């Protein structure tokens, strides 16, 4: 089935109807462009002028939906009009067809038509003057320019403005979209940072509370219960203090609180003492005093050690937990190991968020992170067996020589403070 012609635009229908009625009015009052005795008039019939008029009016219906077809048919109608007595309405509608062909046509047509009409204007000016050598022949070139070049050039300017406006709108929409994406990413990053801080601040205290409260309920020993309640109260107070500090940071709109609020590696001794109070046998090999590091690196290292000790409290088997920090080759290495097996007594359930948080912190600093079981270098529980993780070991693992330890190892590049903490291209896991 052949494709149907598209429905003409309502404005084009009005233009065609107006041009036809105007031409009929001029025909009715006998107004034409040339007298009957003009040498160019080949068809002297008065009514013949209506044929090009009607055809051109029909082309106006296609000026928007088929601009090139309308222009080609309009050229034929204008040519026929030049050998009749002529109608002003036909010429005026033809100029609109030229305008529409440039404005609504293809980009190729929009580029070519002004050049073609310009060339015809030059030819229509030069050739008659050269042939007849009469000044009045310049009017031929002027007429060609008014009918062809003027509407084509006008449409070219309008089209350029329209395309520029469309490009600016598209650019504005893309800018708004990028801004919204940046805002969403910033919100997500801030939410992830808050989640990590909240988890790292209170998980250690809550884990100790859960373990000691379970022990106090399950053991019928007044001395043990009293000791457990003391540890519970100490961790409750410390957890509340951490929560108040975090809430104060969230309520503060300024950025000045971050350096003083963030913990540093100087607090590792207190962190290890707290883990010992909670029942862990911890050994610490820290950096030498005064070994300055960028604040983001210190915060990440502190939180990794804190989370590893929390996970050791929840999941590690009996034995010694070791924490070792070393600075070499422009990076800080944090290694925490713990016995890989079941603990005697009650254990708090882990949610798995600790490993995710540690991995995110390391990725933000463009470092490397590993966590998993490995063969113990010596007797399980010895001093050279480091850290823990957020996953318990398999049931029934023994602490005998040749066993396994759970190792958390992070390498943090030591960069300028302005670069540290900048998100890596790959994002976080």
């Amino acid at each position: 089935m052949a494709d149907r012609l598209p429905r003409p635009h309502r404005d084009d229908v009005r233009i065609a109807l107006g041009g036809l009625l105007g031409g009929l009015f001029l025909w009715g009052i006998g107004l034409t462009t040339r007298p009957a005795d003009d040498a160019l008039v080949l068809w002297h019939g008065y009514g013949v002028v209506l044929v090009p008029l009607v055809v051109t009016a029909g082309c106006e219906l296609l000026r928007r939906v088929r601009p090139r077809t309308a222009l080609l048919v309009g050229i034929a109608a204008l040519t026929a009009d030049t050998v009749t007595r002529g109608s002003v309405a036909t010429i005026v509608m033809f100029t609109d067809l030229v305008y529409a062909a440039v404005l609504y046509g293809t980009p190729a047509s929009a580029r070519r038509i002004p050049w073609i009409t310009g060339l015809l204007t030059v030819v229509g000016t030069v050739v008659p003057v050269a042939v007849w050598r009469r000044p009045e022949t310049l009017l031929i070139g002027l007429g060609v320019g008014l009918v062809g070049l003027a509407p084509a050039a006008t449409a070219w300017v309008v089209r350029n403005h329209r395309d520029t406006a469309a490009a600016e709108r598209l650019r504005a929409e893309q800018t708004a979209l990028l801004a919204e994406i940046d805002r969403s990413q910033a919100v997500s990053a801030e939410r992830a940072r808050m989640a990590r801080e909240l988890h790292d601040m209170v998980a250690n205290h809550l884990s100790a509370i859960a373990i000691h409260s379970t022990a106090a309920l399950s053991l019928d020993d007044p001395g043990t219960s009293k000791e457990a309640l003391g540890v519970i109260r100490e961790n409750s107070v410390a957890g509340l203090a951490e929560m108040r500090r975090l809430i104060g940071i969230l309520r503060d709109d300024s950025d000045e609180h971050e350096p003083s609020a963030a913990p540093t590696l100087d607090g590792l001794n207190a962190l290890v003492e707290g883990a010992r109070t909670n029942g862990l046998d911890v050994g610490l090999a820290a950096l030498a005093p005064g070994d300055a590091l960028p604040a983001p690196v210190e915060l990440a290292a502190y939180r990794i050690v804190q989370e590893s000790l929390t996970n050791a409290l929840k999941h590690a088997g009996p034995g010694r937990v070791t924490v070792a920090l070393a600075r070499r080759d422009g990076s800080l290495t944090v290694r925490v190991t713990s016995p890989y097996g079941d603990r005697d007594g009650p254990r708090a359930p882990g949610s798995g968020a600790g490993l995710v948080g540690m991995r995110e912190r390391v990725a933000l600093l463009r470092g490397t992170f590993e966590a998993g079981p490995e063969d113990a270098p010596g007797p399980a529980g010895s001093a050279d067996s480091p850290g823990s993780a957020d996953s318990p070991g398999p049931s029934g693992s023994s602490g005998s020589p040749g066993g396994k330890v759970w190792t958390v190892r992070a390498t943090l590049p030591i960069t300028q403070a302005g670069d540290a903490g900048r998100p890596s291209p790959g994002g976080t896991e």
Side-chain angles (χ1 to χ4, degrees):
M1 181 180 293
D3 294 338
R4 296 181 179 179
L5 285 175
R7 189 172 183 178
H9 194 275
R10 65 177 66 183
D11 291 338
D12 298 341
V13 175
R14 296 190 183 101
I15 292 173
L17 185 59
L20 180 61
L21 293 178
L24 291 176
F25 173 76
L26 295 177
W27 176 78
I29 63 176
L31 182 62
T32 59
T33 59
R34 284 175 294 277
D37 58 352
D38 193 302
L40 295 177
V41 176
L42 300 180
W43 295 345
H44 294 277
Y46 185 58
V48 178
V49 72
L50 296 179
V51 176
L53 175 67
V54 173
V55 173
T56 307
C59 291
E60 288 282 33
L61 296 175
L62 304 177
R63 64 188 294 274
R64 208 180 302 247
V65 294
R66 291 286 191 272
R68 187 170 63 176
T69 302
L71 178 60
L72 293 176
V73 177
I75 292 173
L78 182 66
T79 303
D81 185 73
T82 58
V83 296
T84 67
R85 296 181 62 180
S87 172
V88 176
T90 301
I91 298 175
V92 172
M93 286 191 290
F94 177 79
T95 61
D96 182 66
L97 293 178
V98 176
Y99 176 88
V102 176
L103 185 61
Y104 302 116
T106 62
S109 298
R111 290 191 302 268
R112 293 169 184 168
I113 292 175
W115 285 101
I116 294 173
T117 55
L119 180 61
L120 291 176
T121 301
V122 173
V123 172
T125 303
V126 174
V127 172
V129 172
V131 173
W132 289 301
R133 297 183 182 280
R134 296 173 60 183
E136 55 267 24
T137 56
L138 293 174
L139 296 176
I140 297 176
L142 178 61
V144 174
L146 291 176
V147 173
L149 179 59
T154 303
W156 175 253
V157 173
V158 173
R159 180 170 182 142
N160 282 341
H161 282 292
R162 186 189 65 179
D163 293 345
T164 301
E168 291 297 331
R169 284 195 300 269
L170 179 60
R171 188 177 295 109
E173 291 173 359
Q174 292 175 341
T175 302
L177 179 60
L178 291 176
E180 179 62 23
I181 293 175
D182 290 342
R183 188 196 67 82
S184 300
Q185 291 177 344
V187 171
S188 298
E190 183 63 16
R191 291 178 63 181
R193 187 185 73 85
M194 292 170 57
R196 289 193 301 268
E197 289 296 317
L198 181 61
H199 178 274
D200 293 342
M201 282 183 177
V202 301
N204 184 40
H205 302 298
L206 293 180
S207 298
I209 290 171
I211 291 174
H212 286 85
S213 61
T214 304
L217 292 173
S218 60
L219 300 177
D220 188 13
D221 184 353
T224 303
S225 297
K226 184 176 181 181
E227 181 181 352
L229 290 175
V231 175
I232 290 173
R233 183 183 183 283
E234 180 181 345
N235 281 277
S236 300
V237 173
L240 287 174
E242 293 281 5
M243 286 296 296
R244 290 192 187 99
R245 185 173 69 85
L246 178 60
I247 292 172
I249 294 174
L250 295 178
R251 285 179 175 174
D252 190 356
D253 294 333
S254 66
D255 295 330
E256 298 177 356
H257 60 265
E258 189 67 23
S260 60
T264 64
L265 295 182
D266 293 337
L268 284 183
N269 289 324
L271 186 64
V272 169
E273 286 299 324
R276 290 169 180 163
T277 302
N278 291 330
L280 286 179
D281 181 13
V282 185
L284 173 63
L287 297 177
D291 195 358
L293 296 172
V297 175
E298 288 205 41
L299 175 61
Y302 180 93
R303 293 304 189 195
I304 290 171
V305 173
Q306 183 182 44
E307 179 59 27
S308 297
L309 294 178
T310 299
N311 292 330
L313 180 65
K314 294 190 292 185
H315 305 303
R320 187 168 180 80
V321 178
T322 63
V323 178
L325 285 81
R327 180 172 180 172
R328 62 173 67 92
D329 299 330
S331 63
L332 175 67
T333 301
V334 180
R335 187 170 183 265
V336 185
T337 63
S338 60
Y340 184 60
D342 286 340
R343 283 182 59 90
D344 294 333
R347 172 168 41 185
S351 65
L355 281 178
V356 174
M358 288 189 286
R359 185 172 284 110
E360 286 180 349
R361 289 186 184 277
V362 174
L364 286 173
L365 296 175
R366 302 179 183 177
T368 60
F369 177 82
E370 296 176 358
E374 59 183 37
D375 293 333
S382 62
D384 56 353
S385 298
S388 131
D390 204 14
S391 178
S395 175
S397 175
S398 66
S400 60
K404 291 181 177 295
V405 293
W406 186 275
T407 302
V408 174
R409 184 183 295 104
T411 302
L412 307 174
I414 301 174
T415 60
Q416 297 297 326
D419 295 332
R422 185 176 298 171
S424 61
T428 59
E429 297 184 17

